[in-house]
């Protein structure tokens, strides 16, 4: 099996989109897997998985839990465990199980997870992913599932089976400006007219044309998104956020540009990007990020923890030596609550990961025990005290 195929199957499994036949293929490979499997698993988990020591009895128990997954094919019960498989069976269970937060540098053991499951925010029934048109139409996309596609001069939702459901008439000759709005507690994918893929994080919106011009490809972002831009030798791709402009010809990068944040953060995964902000420019290399400070009108570049930056795309929080306020900002955007503080909150930093599929109360319980904090819920209001 090629590494590309293995990566594809692994991502399908983690995102709950894998078919029975594909799951059978993945599990069959895991049973005979070599070190190539570790390269597919996120780098941040690699060292922890190598340190696992499991008995055959423990491995059988873990393997049994995997087989309880309804997506798996029953014939895989005959797969024989070997030492290599023990490691990867544990990997699947650990990565797809519930995880916790730990107080930064207070514990050496860190549980991590990249399992993605749909989260139900507090007022999920009042929110939906919406597409707005320049004609004033407003379409809810939640019920259709899948992702939004603008290929072949049509606007359609592609469901989990790959079937296209056209949502706007294809006889329009005039280019429309569209806005995709993703509410708190959700993420969504869109395939742009040029074939570029964009994943929008919660509380984010993307403005784009139904067809790009012959000269350039321009979109506007409010919030956070991960871009996989289709290569084009001459037609530049631009992402505008406030005064910040990211310009590429074809590459992969992440932009965090939420209103109210001091910095617009551009993180490059591969290729190269040019970041222009307030008469300043920076050319990034893979693994670097640019911080465009909205107040000071400056650009600062630094090395990035790419796996931590992209954790949201895989469905989990990844806190790396961050303060309480930063954590609360992410909680507000995902669980749709308004955070306020009472009294003096001692400065404290946290590290670790937590699955976004878990409830807000579970996350708060972890923070209370680790940080000597107290949380009080009053409807959508979340009060933090020490």
């Amino acid at each position: 099996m090629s590494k590309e195929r293995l990566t594809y199957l692994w991502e399908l499994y983690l995102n709950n989109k894998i078919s029975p036949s594909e799951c059978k293929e993945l599990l069959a490979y895991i049973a005979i897997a070599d070190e190539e499997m570790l390269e597919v698993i996120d780098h941040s988990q690699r060292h922890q998985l190598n340190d696992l020591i499991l008995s055959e009895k423990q491995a059988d128990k873990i393997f049994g839990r995997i087989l309880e997954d309804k997506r798996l094919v029953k014939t895989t019960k005959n797969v024989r465990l070997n030492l290599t498989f023990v490691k990867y069976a544990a990997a699947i269970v650990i990565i797809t199980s519930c995880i916790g937060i730990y107080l930064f540098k207070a514990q050496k053991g860190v549980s991590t997870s990249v399992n993605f499951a749909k989260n139900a925010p507090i007022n999920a029934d009042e929110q939906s992913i919406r597409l707005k048109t320049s004609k004033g139409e407003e379409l809810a996309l939640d019920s259709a599932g899948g992702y939004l596609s603008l290929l072949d001069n049509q606007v359609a939702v592609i469901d989990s089976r790959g079937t296209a459901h056209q949502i706007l008439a294809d006889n329009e000759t005039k280019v429309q400006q569209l806005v995709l709005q993703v509410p708190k507690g959700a993420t969504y994918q869109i395939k742009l007219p040029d074939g570029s893929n964009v994943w929008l994080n919660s509380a984010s919106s993307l403005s784009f044309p139904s067809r790009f011009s012959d000269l350039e490809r321009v979109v506007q972002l409010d919030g956070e998104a991960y871009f996989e831009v289709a290569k084009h030798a001459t037609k530049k791709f631009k992402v505008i956020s406030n005064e910040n402009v990211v310009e590429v010809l074809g590459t992969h990068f992440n932009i965090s540009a939420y209103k109210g944040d001091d910095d617009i953060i551009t993180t490059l995964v591969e290729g190269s990007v040019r970041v222009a902000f307030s008469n300043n420019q920076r050319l990034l290399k893979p693994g670097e990020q640019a911080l465009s400070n909205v107040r000071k009108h400056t650009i600062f570049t630094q090395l990035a923890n790419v796996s931590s930056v992209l954790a949201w795309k895989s469905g989990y929080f990844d806190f790396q030596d961050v303060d309480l306020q930063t954590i609360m900002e992410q909680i507000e955007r995902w669980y749709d609550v308004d955070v306020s503080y009472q009294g003096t909150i001692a400065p404290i930093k946290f590290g670790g990961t937590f699955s976004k599929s878990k409830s807000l109360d579970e996350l708060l319980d972890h923070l209370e025990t680790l940080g000597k904090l107290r949380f009080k819920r009053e409807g959508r209001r979340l009060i933090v005290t020490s």
Side-chain angles (χ1 to χ4, degrees):
M1 180 185 297
S2 68
K3 184 177 179 180
E4 290 75 16
R5 178 64 176 172
L6 178 58
T7 302
Y8 172 74
L9 293 175
W10 180 251
E11 291 180 350
L12 286 180
Y13 184 90
L14 294 180
N15 289 283
N16 296 315
K17 294 181 179 180
I18 197 165
S19 68
S21 61
E22 289 168 332
C23 216
K24 179 180 179 180
E25 181 183 359
L26 174 61
L27 195 61
Y29 180 81
I30 292 175
I32 58 172
D34 55 20
E35 289 301 314
E36 185 179 37
M37 187 67 190
L38 281 179
E39 296 180 11
V40 175
I41 299 174
D42 186 272
H43 180 75
S44 63
Q45 282 87 36
R46 189 176 305 175
H47 298 297
Q48 297 169 45
L49 298 177
N50 284 336
D51 292 337
L52 289 173
I53 300 177
L54 300 176
S55 67
E56 184 176 352
K57 183 176 181 180
Q58 289 173 315
D60 285 332
K61 184 176 181 180
I62 289 175
F63 188 48
R65 289 176 61 187
I66 295 175
L67 292 176
E68 290 176 0
D69 191 325
K70 294 181 180 180
R71 294 170 294 172
L72 296 177
V73 179
K74 298 300 182 182
T75 55
T76 57
K77 288 184 177 180
N78 296 324
V79 177
R80 182 179 179 181
L81 293 178
N82 56 36
L83 292 178
T84 306
F85 176 70
V86 168
K87 180 162 53 179
Y88 302 116
I92 290 181
V93 172
I94 289 174
I95 290 178
T96 59
S97 63
C98 88
I99 54 159
I101 296 289
Y102 68 98
L103 188 61
F104 191 74
K105 296 182 180 177
Q107 293 178 217
K108 292 184 179 179
V110 185
S111 295
T112 53
S113 172
V114 292
N115 180 42
F116 179 80
K118 290 184 178 179
N119 179 69
I122 294 174
N123 60 340
D125 57 331
E126 298 177 5
Q127 299 192 76
S128 62
I129 299 167
R130 296 186 179 276
L131 179 68
K132 294 185 177 181
T133 74
S134 56
K135 292 185 173 183
E137 298 174 288
E138 189 169 319
L139 307 172
L141 305 182
D142 293 42
S143 58
Y147 65 92
L148 184 66
S149 172
L150 281 85
L151 296 180
D152 302 322
N153 293 323
Q154 66 175 351
V155 181
V157 170
I158 312 300
D159 64 24
S160 58
R161 296 182 178 181
T163 303
H165 303 272
Q166 192 167 330
I167 57 176
L168 290 180
D170 59 358
N171 57 359
E172 294 287 346
T173 57
K174 186 177 180 180
V175 176
Q176 287 199 62
Q177 193 67 20
L178 306 173
V179 180
L180 179 64
Q181 296 180 326
V182 178
K184 295 179 179 179
T187 60
Y188 201 70
Q189 180 185 354
I190 175 175
K191 188 177 288 290
L192 295 172
D194 64 334
S196 297
N197 287 297
V198 183
W199 287 262
L200 283 175
N201 201 354
S202 59
S204 301
S205 66
L206 187 73
S207 176
F208 51 92
S210 56
R211 291 193 303 276
F212 286 124
S213 73
D214 295 332
L215 300 178
E216 59 183 3
R217 301 168 287 173
V218 180
V219 301
Q220 290 185 306
L221 172 67
D222 178 11
E224 184 169 19
Y226 175 71
F227 294 82
E228 291 184 354
V229 177
K231 289 182 172 57
H232 195 289
T234 58
K235 188 184 294 188
K236 295 179 180 179
F237 189 101
K238 295 181 180 179
V239 182
I240 301 175
S241 302
N242 199 342
E243 300 175 32
N244 194 76
V245 180
V246 174
E247 185 178 286
V248 304
L249 291 176
T251 187
H252 298 182
F253 58 96
N254 191 87
I255 300 178
S256 179
Y258 284 104
K259 289 180 180 178
D261 286 357
D262 289 340
D263 295 310
I264 298 173
I265 305 174
T266 304
T267 305
L268 181 61
V269 178
E270 65 177 57
S272 65
V273 302
R274 184 183 302 277
V275 181
F277 180 72
S278 189
N279 297 321
N280 296 305
Q281 292 189 5
R282 293 291 186 276
L283 187 64
L284 297 183
K285 299 177 182 178
E288 292 183 339
Q289 62 184 189
L291 287 75
S292 304
N293 191 279
V294 177
R295 297 181 181 179
K296 298 179 181 179
H297 297 280
T298 58
I299 297 181
F300 172 74
T301 59
Q302 64 183 21
L303 292 177
N305 185 331
V306 175
S307 62
S308 179
V309 171
L310 299 183
W312 70 267
K313 185 172 173 286
S314 298
Y316 64 103
F317 297 107
D318 190 336
F319 304 124
Q320 299 293 328
D321 192 16
V322 296
D323 56 32
L324 180 64
Q325 182 177 352
T326 300
I327 292 177
M328 290 298 106
E329 288 173 353
Q330 294 193 40
I331 286 176
E332 283 185 314
R333 292 166 184 159
W334 186 252
Y335 294 103
D336 194 13
V337 293
D338 296 321
V339 176
S340 61
Y341 301 87
Q342 285 186 355
T344 302
I345 308 297
I348 188 171
K349 292 188 176 183
F350 295 83
T353 59
F354 196 86
S355 173
K356 289 186 173 182
S357 66
K358 313 306 284 186
S359 71
L360 173 59
D361 288 334
E362 289 176 287
L363 175 53
L364 297 180
D365 286 343
H366 280 291
L367 294 176
E368 282 190 347
T369 57
L370 296 172
K372 296 182 180 179
L373 300 167
R374 293 294 179 266
F375 299 95
K376 182 180 179 181
R377 294 268 300 276
E378 295 180 352
R380 291 182 58 253
R381 187 185 181 201
L382 176 61
I383 304 170
V384 185
T385 60
S386 59

